[in-house]
Amino acid sequence: MKPVIVVHGGAGRIFKEREEGSRAGVARAALRGYGILKQGGSALDAVEEAVRSMEDDPHFNAGCGSVLNEKGEVEMDAIIMDGKTLDSGAVSAVKCIANPIKLARLVMEKTKHMLLTDRGAHLFARAMGIPETPGEKLITERSRERWKKNLEPDSNPEEFQKDLGTVGAVAIDSEGNVACATSTGGLSNKLIGRVGDTACIGSGGYADNHSGATSTTGHGESIMKVVLARLILYHMEQGLSPEMAADTALDYMKTRVGGLGGVIVVNNSGQWAARFSTKQMSWATVKDDQLHYGIYAGERHTKSVDEALTFESEGF
Ligand code: GLY
């Protein structure tokens, strides 16, 4: 099987000043994940590495770029899933952790459970030797400004849904195993303890070698209502291509519950899709040593991996 990786940096509205950074961030994440796949590494390692790269990039609403809850704190959700075994691990409402996706993977591999939340997740992180990152280090000036603006009495609650920036990755490796990973700071000014789609299996992501893998982004409550990730795999099981399955599920979410979002998909033959019903979604993929990436509908840049790696060292 030829390896493939697809990543997203969130669906919604990407402000002009963030466009270049978002394009570079998704391209870099896809290249990192692909590097692992090319050396014979697993889809699980590839998606974890790609998501970790975006958690470390302040352009995205995950890890160090996370939006803030109603009290001005970071609370993050993440999930990872192995399509070979259907094992998955997730964390929700975690603070002071630089890479929630790593913690989600440890939940999958080192516990009998699938989801740890808040205090329990922190106790587990400590037991696993994951260092605490001071909350302030995960807060950007942009997140703080956004939070303050949303507290103003005349702020528009609809703004909470824009510029979402959740990150995710799906991959198939040379052995034909698929995996997905998703990580987010959630919605700006959310209630303390709000858990979104990202941590919920079947909503924020799903992976099954029998069909493929998907990672979602967008309005979490809408995604949970239609269990978007599993719905896409269901459509693929009925014979639809990744693109048709993604569009059918996104249309359903829009017409049934008025929700917008985006998805990345790979099927077990290595066909992929990056589709969204929002104005924008940053995405990138690498297949056959070719990197493709874009933000707007219809936008697609292509570079060879060698050329792209040169760009990367120059900062894109
Ligand atoms: N899809 C991210 C969230 O709503 O939390």
Side-chain angles (χ1 to χ4, degrees), residues 57 151 263:
D57 184 336
L151 289 178
V263 301

Side-chain angles (χ1 to χ4, degrees), residues 15-236:
F15 293 108
K16 270 269 171 257
E17 65 273 17
R18 243 172 24 88
E19 282 186 4
E20 276 319 299
S22 299
R23 282 191 189 92
V26 287
R28 191 178 302 118
L31 290 166
R32 297 247 166 103
Y34 190 69
I36 289 175
L37 295 171
K38 275 295 271 189
Q39 287 168 10
S42 70
L44 263 181
D45 286 344
V47 294
E48 181 186 345
E49 177 61 26
V51 165
R52 192 199 293 231
S53 156
M54 291 183 282
E55 288 177 335
D56 291 342
D57 184 336
H59 286 97
F60 301 108
N61 174 16
C64 71
S66 291
V67 298
L68 309 184
N69 68 13
E70 58 176 349
K71 292 284 180 222
E73 303 158 334
V74 164
E75 277 188 345
M76 300 165 289
D77 301 339
I79 191 166
I80 191 162
M81 185 162 182
D82 178 355
K84 184 176 178 185
T85 57
L86 303 192
D87 287 339
S88 73
V91 291
S92 67
V94 290
K95 301 173 179 141
C96 306
I97 299 283
N99 294 109
I101 199 64
K102 181 181 164 70
L103 191 56
R105 176 120 185 224
L106 287 168
V107 169
M108 178 173 85
E109 292 182 341
K110 305 283 184 202
T111 79
K112 294 178 187 152
H113 309 304
M114 284 167 62
L115 169 61
L116 291 181
T117 193
D118 198 357
R119 184 167 160 267
H122 283 279
L123 291 174
F124 175 66
R126 199 174 298 159
M128 290 289 110
I130 294 185
E132 277 199 11
T133 300
E136 286 298 307
K137 285 209 161 165
L138 300 174
I139 298 179
T140 61
E141 205 42 49
R142 182 170 63 93
S143 303
R144 204 187 299 277
E145 282 305 309
R146 174 87 179 281
W147 170 71
K148 274 197 200 142
K149 223 171 159 78
N150 285 340
L151 289 178
E152 289 168 9
D154 58 348
S155 78
N156 176 1
E158 291 297 305
E159 286 295 316
F160 293 178
Q161 293 185 32
K162 293 180 182 162
D163 204 17
L164 294 169
T166 293
V167 305
V170 296
I172 184 163
D173 61 31
S174 53
E175 293 184 3
N177 294 314
V178 299
C180 70
T182 313
S183 181
T184 190
L187 296 184
S188 190
N189 299 64
K190 64 188 177 181
L191 293 180
I192 292 174
R194 178 262 188 188
V195 175
D197 58 306
T198 299
C200 299
I201 185 168
S203 290
Y206 203 84
D208 183 348
N209 278 6
H210 291 182
S211 47
T214 180
S215 166
T216 67
T217 164
H219 182 236
E221 281 70 11
S222 301
I223 291 171
M224 286 191 275
K225 283 179 188 171
V226 302
V227 198
L228 184 64
R230 191 65 191 83
L231 182 61
I232 291 168
L233 291 201
Y234 166 77
H235 287 310
M236 296 203 301

Side-chain angles (χ1 to χ4, degrees), residues 284-310:
T285 185
V286 190
K287 181 176 182 178
D288 292 328
D289 293 334
Q290 294 287 309
L291 166 76
H292 309 276
Y293 60 99
I295 286 186
Y296 291 93
E299 175 191 341
R300 181 159 165 168
H301 308 280
T302 300
K303 287 183 168 69
S304 71
V305 164
D306 286 347
E307 190 189 0
L309 287 171
T310 315

